[in-house]
Amino acid sequence: MSDHAVIVWFQYGQQDLAPMFAVQDRLTEAIEAAGVGEFDGNEIADDGSDGSFYMYGPDADGLFAAVEPILRATPFLAGAVVVLRYGPPDPESRETKVVL
């Protein structure tokens, strides 16, 4: 079951999406290599001002551990807010926020 989530909210500030897609590829590879879930996609504002990454798996902590080094090493993610959700998308599910 992949009810847990790691969602990254970030300020992007550019319209060149190549750097964002490069990070997305690295996140996907790290998640797959660790066997902790899946990278589900991204959202980016039309003007490139902000965006988000969505990752899901059975253990939010394990998922975050696999991707945290990449997130912290990515300049445009400095100051991003990472939400670790422990359970399905439900108001009852516990969440933890981490600022990069």
Side-chain angles (χ1 to χ4, degrees):
M1 177 150 291
S2 297
D3 281 344
H4 289 207
V6 173
I7 302 169
V8 184
W9 305 96
F10 57 91
Q11 297 300 309
Y12 193 57
Q14 58 183 320
Q15 291 192 338
D16 178 6
L17 300 182
M20 186 193 70
F21 286 124
V23 171
Q24 178 175 306
D25 289 346
R26 292 179 58 215
L27 294 170
T28 299
E29 291 169 6
I31 293 166
E32 289 175 358
V36 292
E38 66 179 331
F39 185 93
D40 190 49
N42 69 63
E43 289 184 346
I44 189 81
D46 288 339
D47 65 0
S49 59
D50 58 60
S52 54
F53 291 134
Y54 299 91
M55 297 160 271
Y56 300 96
D59 174 26
D61 291 323
L63 186 54
F64 184 58
V67 300
E68 183 179 16
I70 296 165
L71 299 175
R72 291 197 182 275
T74 302
F76 72 80
L77 293 176
V81 175
V82 181
V83 176
L84 283 70
R85 188 188 70 222
Y86 301 91
D90 181 298
E92 306 264 329
S93 292
R94 181 173 64 92
E95 292 185 350
T96 299
K97 291 183 181 174
V98 176
V99 178
L100 298 177

